[in-house]
Structures are given as C-alpha cells and as structure tokens.
Amino acid sequence: MRKALTGALGAVVATTMVITATPAAAIDDVNTTKLRNAVTVNGMLKHARALQVIANQNDGTRASGLPGYEASVDYVTKQLRRSGYQVTKQAFSFPFFHSLSDPTLSQVSPTPTDYATDVFDYSGDGDVTGVVVPANNNVIPATPEPSSTAGCEPGDFDPAPAEDAIALVQRGGCDFAVKADNAVAAGYDALIIFNEGNPGRTDLTIGTLGGEKPIPVVGLSYADAVAIIEQLETGPVTLRVTTDVENDPDRTTWNVIANLSPKDLKKVKNKDEVVVVGAHLDSVAAGPGINDNGSGTAGILTIAQKMADLKLTKKLTRPVRFAFWGAEESGLLGSEHYVASLTDNQRSKLYANLNFDMIGSPNYVRFVYDGDGSDGGESGPPGSDVIETIFTDYFESQGLASEPTDFDGRSDYGPFIEAGIPAGGLFSGAEGIKTEEQAEVYGGTAGEAYDPCYHQACDTITNLSVKSLNELGDAAAHATLTLTKSRTGLYPDGSLAAKKSDAAKAKAFSAPKSSPYGGHAAAR
C-alpha cells in the first residue's frame, strides 16, 4: 500500500495496456463450502502466532532485509513444502533502510519544545539545527477534503535562507519523494512533512521516500505543524532534527512463490491461465506487522494448506500460484520485481491476481477493491470488474455488507494491473477513520482508525479481529476456489456453455436459501 508504479516496470509492460474490451460477468458458481469450512480462524491464528514468535525473537520486527523477515520466509516455505507445493525463494536486491535509534524533532527557540516524530523510510542520516521555512502553498486551515499539493513543484520551496535551514511541507498531491527532492534542490538541510489535516489525516504521518535521500526527513502531526507556523507570524523559529539510520542500496531479500506440484499441474485443464494469490510477508521496521500483513499471509497460507488437504489442488480448471511478497513496505518492490522478471510469454499466462493486504483489522470494514471504478476512482484491467463481483456477490449471499475501496495501485496488485492483468481483493482498513454510517453497518467504533496500530509496534497478535478474519478469510477462500475451478472465465465467449452458466448464476442468486455458498460465515 505504498506507491503507484513508475520507472522500469511501467516501460516493460506498457504495451499490455492497450486492452479496451469491456468484459461481462462470466464466472459460474462453484460450491466452496468444504474449503471455507476448513479455513478456520484457529488455523489462521496458528500462523499469526508463529509470525509473532518470529518477531519476538528478532527485535520485534519482520521487515525485509532483517533477520525476522528471513525467518518468516523460512517458516512459510516449510509450511508450503509440507503441503506438497513446489516452492521457490525468489531473491532480489532492494534499497534497504533501517532506523538505528529514535529520531528527534525539537524547537530550540523561541520556546523549547519536544515534538512527537518518526523517520521516513530512506531518510538521510544527520543532526540539523536551523530556521524553519514553510512551503509556499501549505493549506491551513485544512479543507474537509484532501486538497494540498504543497511541495510538488520546485517553486513551492523558496531558496533556503541560511546555511542550515529546515523545510516544513504538508502531505498530499504527490509522492513524498517528490517533496524531498524539491526541498533538496532548494538547498534545505532537513525536511519535515506534516499531515494534511483532513479527517483521517491529522496524526503524525510517515511513509517511504522510495530510495535514499541526502537529508533527514521526519514526520509531524497537523496540529504541531500549525502551532509552529503560527509562531512564525511573530518571528523566526529554530528547530533541531536528528536521525540515526542505515541505508544499504543493495540488500538481498526474497519472494516466496508456491506452485502446484508437477503431478497436480498435469491434471489442470487450462495450464496457461494461472491465478496468482498474493499477500505481502514483510512488516514495517517499527513492529511485528501481525495485521499488516501477517493477517493476509496467514489467510492465504491456510487456504493453500487446506486446498492441498482436501485434494482440491488435483481438481482445478486453472493452476493456482501462491505468492508471499517481500519489501512491500519499501514500495511494492517484491511484486514489482516478480512481474518485471517474467518474459512476455510467462506474463501472458497470468490470468488474474488476488491480493489480500490486511484482513484482520480490529475496527474493520469489508472493503472490496473497486475493479470497475464505479465508486469514482480508476478501474482495473478488463476482468477486474468480474473479480469484484465474485466478492460482492459472495458477501451479499451471506447477508454481509461490503463497500468499494479505491483501486489505486497502493498494494501488491499494482504491478499486475500495470501489466494489464485483471486483479482484485479485500482490505479490512488501515489508518482511515471509521464513519458513523460504517459503524452502524459493520459495528466497531466511529471516529477511530480501522487499525489504530497501523505501522506501529502495537501491531501484535492482540491487534486482530477474529470476526474480520472469519468473514474476509472465507471470502478469500471462496474467490480463490471460484477463479481456479470455474469452467467459464472472466470474459464473455458467446458459447452455449457460458450462456447456461450465466442463467444458472442468476437463478442461484434469486433463491439464496439453496445457494451453494451456504451459511458458513454467519454460523461459525
């Protein structure tokens, strides 16, 4: 959930984006009850607890490039091989970042004050004391909706007025890296990025800069930034920023890729239509990442194991490939590497991607990626709309509400949709704030974050909703088996079989009591 795709991958796959056909729903019904009955909360929690133990043994983190992530890779690999999958650890290099000690941000004058802060990934190392200069177009007071583009253009920063100067810029409008690059170009020695001030964007904010920057970059809350800017109305303000970080431009990490055994693959009818089911395995450095994304990892690992236990892997129409991505928190680097490393022929065999990045948020909502763009955002490649309906139809059959979430490429489905591959998935919510309307529908607490421990040390085994795991875990199992077993596909083919399938689907949903989905999610 870190960034939109740019650079080499976009160039590699740009030619695949010319698809313009508009598909119609063609997926037929698949009875997924046995798999959903087997994919239990206890099964998922077993894996989540194992990831927590790994974090406990490795300084409280499972971030890519650190020993806790390598131990997580070994754990997942062992579990998948025990279930009979052919597992590959795909190594790749990435720019590694780690904060060695807590950063600081304090006001030296006119009033000594310590501010809560944290460091952006790929910040530079340093100790800077200097006058603070706000960007020219910070939006204060904040508008109800995001509107800031501060720092996105070089002219948004006045030239640094002194040898040691610190820029202060608002979140919004462009990547954090762009703001940092523009501040460096204007001569600043450190950068503070404060939150935008809209609902859900008020607290201390941090993120990734995508690659090493030459100056310290730290975060600040909206209220603290406003307090500093108000003091500037009566005279200069001097701040001190310190960061103690490690940057390694060439650290090795891994994706874990699990394919069907050759024996099971031989029985698959459509071998050139691979369904990739993915979740990122790494945490942020600040914590163990048991919801983000131990929950998605535990979910798809359990699905993989139970598909093997039930011998469903021997009866598939399309091959399934389970993928556990590395360095997602550094900018979707694992999934981006995977897609870019494929030949054109290999990439053409990827039929669809399902992505599960956080499915256990304690104050959750059942978010479904908006594949058709009907909620006002971008739509995905043709077929993404059908994947969306697999989830929404399933939830409807269970008497459970769901709602769309932006299909904006901020998680590991991003490289797939950039390559023109249909994608979809589920999301239980991160730092966004639950509304009153959502609390009425889903329960939980309005006015609080979906995950109050998002990207923090408190994202532990206690930071999971078993209801969310149950409901979204079942939906993930249903979609995985539906895509891999359905005899009809994501696109209309005009055949008699496809028409019969559409008719059968319409009939099934007109009579929910006899639906093949059953009542499992509500009963368990």
Side-chain angles (χ1 to χ4, degrees), residues 8-26:
L9 175 61
V12 167
V13 300
T15 56
T16 67
M17 298 302 294
V18 298
I19 303 171
T20 57
T22 302

Side-chain angles (χ1 to χ4, degrees), residues 20 39 77 145 193 200 224 288-289 319 328 350 365 419 449 515:
T20 57
V39 175
T77 299
E145 297 295 331
I193 301 177
D224 284 344
E328 187 271 355
L350 299 186
V365 168
S515 169

Side-chain angles (χ1 to χ4, degrees), residues 30-40 47 79-80 82-85 258-261 264 268 275-277 298-322 354 356 473-486:
V30 174
N31 191 327
T32 63
T33 304
K34 285 185 179 180
L35 179 59
R36 289 184 290 112
N37 283 335
V39 175
T40 64
H47 297 310
Q79 296 293 317
L80 291 163
R82 280 181 176 175
S83 292
Y85 290 92
N259 286 295
L260 295 175
S261 69
D264 287 348
V268 174
V275 177
V276 180
V277 180
I300 71 168
L301 181 55
T302 305
I303 292 168
Q305 290 175 317
K306 296 309 175 183
M307 285 183 70
D309 290 347
L310 296 171
K311 303 190 186 311
L312 294 170
T313 53
K314 302 179 184 301
K315 305 172 183 178
L316 299 179
T317 303
R318 299 177 187 85
V320 64
R321 178 174 299 158
F322 291 97
L354 296 179
F356 302 102
D474 276 359
H478 169 74
T480 299
L481 195 59
T482 296
L483 276 176
T484 53
K485 287 204 72 173
S486 170

Side-chain angles (χ1 to χ4, degrees), residues 21-27 383 385-386 389 489-493 502:
T22 302
I27 291 289
D385 56 344
V386 181
T389 65
L490 294 174
Y491 311 101
D493 61 13
D502 289 343

Side-chain angles (χ1 to χ4, degrees), residues 30-329:
V30 174
N31 191 327
T32 63
T33 304
K34 285 185 179 180
L35 179 59
R36 289 184 290 112
N37 283 335
V39 175
T40 64
V41 170
N42 281 338
M44 289 183 276
L45 286 178
K46 173 185 173 183
H47 297 310
R49 292 187 191 103
L51 296 176
Q52 178 70 68
V53 170
I54 288 170
N56 293 346
Q57 296 170 342
N58 291 279
D59 297 322
T61 184
R62 298 184 305 101
S64 278
L66 293 174
Y69 182 74
E70 187 168 355
S72 300
V73 166
D74 291 343
Y75 173 79
V76 169
T77 299
K78 184 177 181 180
Q79 296 293 317
L80 291 163
R81 285 178 175 160
R82 280 181 176 175
S83 292
Y85 290 92
Q86 194 167 52
V87 184
T88 300
K89 293 196 290 186
Q90 182 187 39
F92 64 96
S93 296
F94 79 109
F96 170 79
F97 171 85
H98 183 48
S99 183
L100 300 173
S101 62
D102 291 339
T104 66
L105 173 58
S106 58
Q107 184 175 146
V108 177
S109 64
T111 306
T113 308
D114 291 330
Y115 297 105
T117 192
D118 207 344
V119 65
F120 278 70
D121 286 357
Y122 304 114
S123 163
D125 193 61
D127 184 338
V128 178
T129 299
V131 293
V132 62
V133 181
N136 291 324
N137 55 341
N138 293 325
V139 180
I140 296 175
T143 59
E145 297 295 331
S147 63
S148 175
T149 60
C152 294
E153 298 294 334
D156 292 346
F157 293 99
D158 289 334
E163 183 175 341
D164 295 311
I166 299 169
L168 179 64
V169 69
Q170 193 171 26
R171 173 187 182 183
C174 60
D175 289 348
F176 297 129
V178 175
K179 298 174 189 282
D181 289 341
N182 288 334
V184 170
Y188 289 90
D189 302 283
L191 175 66
I192 302 166
I193 301 177
F194 67 95
N195 219 339
E196 196 165 3
N198 321 106
R201 289 191 172 196
T202 57
D203 296 339
L204 165 67
T205 185
I206 57 170
T208 182
L209 301 171
E212 184 178 359
K213 300 302 177 185
I215 64 173
V217 181
V218 298
L220 190 64
S221 72
Y222 175 76
D224 284 344
V226 170
I228 292 171
I229 291 170
E230 287 176 347
Q231 290 182 72
L232 286 168
E233 294 176 0
T234 59
V237 174
T238 300
L239 301 178
R240 182 187 180 197
V241 174
T242 69
T243 55
D244 179 19
V245 302
E246 175 187 6
N247 278 288
D248 179 353
D250 197 28
R251 185 69 59 95
T252 297
T253 193
W254 301 268
N255 294 321
V256 179
I257 310 295
N259 286 295
L260 295 175
S261 69
K263 186 176 179 180
D264 287 348
L265 182 60
K266 198 179 232 184
K267 299 176 182 178
V268 174
K269 179 182 177 183
N270 300 331
K271 294 180 177 59
D272 291 346
E273 296 182 357
V274 180
V275 177
V276 180
V277 180
H280 76 85
L281 180 55
D282 62 320
S283 73
V284 293
I290 302 304
N291 185 35
D292 184 16
N293 184 35
S295 61
T297 293
I300 71 168
L301 181 55
T302 305
I303 292 168
Q305 290 175 317
K306 296 309 175 183
M307 285 183 70
D309 290 347
L310 296 171
K311 303 190 186 311
L312 294 170
T313 53
K314 302 179 184 301
K315 305 172 183 178
L316 299 179
T317 303
R318 299 177 187 85
V320 64
R321 178 174 299 158
F322 291 97
F324 300 80
W325 309 117
E328 187 271 355
E329 298 292 2

